[in-house]
């Protein structure tokens, strides 16, 4: 589902960006991005929980624990995953080259890769690309970076917010890539968020994790958790705002802005799901706990039968009830309720009339609509998951991905 993106100029004080084509992709399209802070920045991030982790993920984890970084190096077209010692060497050498060219420490370069699994990242193109990217760095290079990280994406994914902290206005901006292998914990997903706000490392970690929980860990396209998922954030502090606590008024305002950026990017990822034509925001209410609500929402969002019903515009509430039932959480079948776009297709265990079902089917012709499932336990637990439909185009694309 392609979204029209207006490439308005985007600047973040104290940051420069580059996106170049270096030959990793056979198509000749841009495939290497570099994001650099002019000064050392506070860093935080979250990576995939997949136990098979790509070389760049293995390198980035200890660097994020330091809480400081100055550059993010991202290549597309090659995941450099399951490549053993050779892949690790290429990733480490790339960080060293970028650091030397930028005059910063190797530990300050955060590597990310995305693309096909099982092929060692080619050394020659990487060397050429890093050299070219360093030369191309500019304050107005944001969109070139955003396009260089794309793989199967139909459009660049970018979001920005400005927020007032005390007497200072700061910018929060993010770019993401992702369209397939999308599931919580996390998705085939690379995200780089930058801000000129001054944020302490412990606060940034808390804020990033909280924003990821409601955005990239609350979406699913196909239920596959990738080897390369990485969300990184740099806060360089050049805005000079007063330091804030997470629970303070400024902390809450900044947290809301960060959450808005990540949730907008996550919604774009689902909209761009490979072959997707529909997007549904599934909310589960009436669970005993929020965790139980999340488990039920995920089961519904990742059900292939639900997803094919979304594609066909079929208000088949039975599939949603079935998925909730095998999620392993308490519910009351006789009192379950399901609404689609505000239309009640199941009310406290009673199915809707054919006329009401037709109204729900009409809602499902829209490209995006909400679904609410009430587990009726009397609890207040609630959770939301955004998912896409499963289409014949997705099957065609992924059945021929390697060939």
């Amino acid at each position: 589902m392609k979204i029209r993106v207006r490439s308005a100029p985007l600047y973040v004080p104290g940051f420069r960006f580059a996106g170049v084509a270096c030959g990793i992709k056979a198509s000749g399209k841009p495939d290497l991005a570099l994001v650099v802070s002019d000064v050392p920045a506070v860093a935080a991030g979250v990576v995939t929980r997949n136990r098979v982790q790509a070389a760049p993920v293995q390198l980035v984890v200890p660097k994020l624990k330091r809480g400081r970084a100055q550059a993010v190096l991202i290549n597309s077209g090659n995941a450099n995953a399951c490549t053993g010692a050779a892949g690790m060497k290429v990733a480490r050498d790339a960080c060293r080259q970028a650091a030397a060219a930028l005059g910063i420490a190797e530990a300050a370069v955060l590597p990310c890769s995305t693309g096909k699994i099982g092929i060692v990242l080619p050394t020659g193109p990487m060397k050429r690309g890093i050299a070219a990217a360093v030369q191309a760095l500019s304050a107005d290079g944001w969109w070139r970076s955003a396009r260089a990280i794309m793989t199967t994406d139909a459009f660049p994914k970018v979001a920005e917010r400005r927020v007032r902290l005390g007497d200072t206005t700061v910018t929060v901006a993010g770019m993401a890539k992702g369209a397939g292998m999308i599931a919580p914990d996390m998705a085939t997903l690379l995200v780089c968020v930058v801000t000129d706000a001054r944020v302490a490392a412990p606060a940034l970690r808390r804020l990033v994790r909280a924003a990821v929980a409601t955005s990239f860990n609350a979406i699913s396209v196909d239920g596959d958790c990738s080897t390369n998922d990485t969300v990184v954030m740099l806060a360089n502090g050049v805005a000079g705002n007063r330091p804030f606590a997470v629970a303070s008024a400024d902390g809450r305002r900044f947290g809301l802005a960060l959450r808005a950026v990540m949730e907008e990017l996550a919604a774009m990822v689902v909209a761009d799901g490979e072959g997707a034509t529909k997007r549904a925001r599934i909310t589960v209410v009436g669970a005993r706990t929020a965790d139980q609500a999340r488990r039920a929402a995920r089961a519904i969002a990742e059900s292939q039968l639900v997803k094919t019903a979304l594609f066909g515009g079929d208000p088949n509430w039975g599939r949603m009830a079935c998925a909730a039932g095998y999620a392993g959480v308490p519910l009351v079948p006789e009192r379950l309720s399901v609404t689609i776009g505000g239309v009640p297709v199941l009310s406290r265990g009673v199915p809707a009339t054919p006329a009401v079902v037709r109204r729900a089917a009409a809602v499902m012709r829209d490209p995006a609509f909400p679904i609410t499932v009430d587990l009726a336990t009397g609890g207040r637990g609630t959770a939301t998951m955004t998912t896409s439909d499963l289409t014949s185009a997705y099957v065609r694309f992924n059945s021929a991905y390697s060939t």
Side-chain angles (χ1 to χ4, degrees):
M1 190 191 313
K2 190 168 184 177
I3 293 177
R4 188 182 299 275
V5 177
R6 188 172 65 89
S7 303
L10 197 160
Y11 302 92
V12 184
F15 284 94
R16 292 173 294 150
F17 312 90
V20 301
C22 66
I24 298 172
K25 291 178 181 173
S27 65
K29 292 182 178 180
D31 48 18
L32 188 79
L34 185 60
V35 175
V36 177
S37 173
D38 294 336
V39 298
V42 173
V46 179
V47 302
T48 180
R49 292 186 184 177
N50 193 318
R51 292 188 180 183
V52 178
Q53 296 186 338
V57 175
Q58 294 178 56
L59 288 179
V60 86
V61 168
K63 293 184 177 188
L64 286 172
K65 287 181 179 178
R66 295 175 62 249
R68 303 288 290 180
Q70 199 166 344
V72 184
L73 177 66
I74 308 171
N75 77 271
S76 58
N78 186 309
N80 199 18
C82 303
T83 50
M88 184 65 74
K89 183 179 186 304
V90 175
R92 188 174 285 115
D93 287 348
C95 291
R96 287 173 180 161
Q97 180 188 346
L102 294 168
I104 62 178
E106 178 193 339
V109 180
L110 306 178
C112 301
S113 298
T114 182
K116 189 176 177 182
I117 293 170
I119 301 174
V120 177
L121 191 60
T123 301
M126 282 298 291
K127 287 183 176 179
R128 293 192 297 271
I130 291 168
V134 171
Q135 290 298 314
L137 283 168
S138 67
D140 64 355
W142 176 273
W143 286 97
R144 291 186 288 276
S145 288
R147 291 186 174 92
I149 69 176
M150 294 166 57
T151 50
T152 61
D153 304 67
F155 56 90
K157 300 167 180 67
V158 168
E160 177 193 20
R161 295 291 188 279
R162 287 187 171 84
V163 60
R164 193 82 173 167
L165 302 180
D167 297 327
T168 307
T169 298
V170 305
T171 299
V172 181
M175 64 180 76
K177 67 78 51 185
M181 290 185 78
I182 304 297
D185 300 323
M186 293 174 348
T188 289
L189 179 75
L190 295 182
V191 181
C192 179
V193 181
V194 296
T195 181
D196 59 334
R198 180 191 297 173
V199 190
L204 191 66
R205 289 191 192 100
R206 285 182 58 188
L207 290 164
V208 167
R209 288 171 183 162
V212 167
T214 62
S215 57
F216 302 112
N217 274 345
I219 59 174
S220 180
V221 168
D222 47 23
D224 267 310
C225 176
S226 173
T227 56
N228 289 61
D229 308 336
T230 306
V231 175
V232 295
M233 182 170 184
L234 299 183
N236 66 11
V238 302
N241 57 285
R242 295 176 183 172
F244 57 80
V246 172
S248 69
D250 280 351
R252 289 192 296 271
R253 280 191 287 269
F254 184 82
L256 287 173
L258 177 58
R259 178 174 169 176
V261 165
M262 289 199 183
E263 290 184 354
E264 183 176 344
L265 291 172
M268 291 181 188
V269 169
V270 178
D272 194 22
E274 290 164 353
T277 65
K278 306 281 181 64
R279 185 171 78 249
R281 187 171 174 86
I282 297 168
T283 300
V284 170
V285 301
R288 290 181 181 173
T289 66
D291 180 66
Q292 290 177 1
R294 278 192 292 270
R295 288 164 60 188
R298 181 170 183 176
I300 296 165
E302 294 185 348
S303 162
Q304 293 186 35
L305 290 176
V306 170
K307 290 164 75 65
T308 52
L310 299 180
F311 175 50
D314 178 13
N316 192 332
W317 58 264
R319 294 181 176 181
M320 302 167 196
C322 175
Y326 63 62
V329 303
L331 53 78
V332 183
E334 297 78 15
R335 296 206 299 266
L336 276 177
S337 296
V338 179
T339 64
I340 300 174
V343 179
V345 292
L346 180 70
S347 299
R348 296 184 66 79
V350 179
T353 64
V356 173
V357 171
R358 286 194 293 272
R359 283 171 48 208
V363 168
M364 294 180 74
R365 288 197 288 268
D366 293 338
F369 47 85
I371 295 173
T372 301
V373 178
D374 187 348
L375 302 186
T377 68
R380 296 184 178 182
T382 182
T384 297
M385 179 83 92
T386 303
T387 192
S388 61
D389 55 350
L390 179 60
T391 71
S392 52
Y394 177 92
V395 176
R396 285 196 302 271
F397 179 90
N398 284 283
S399 63
Y401 184 77
S402 293
T403 55

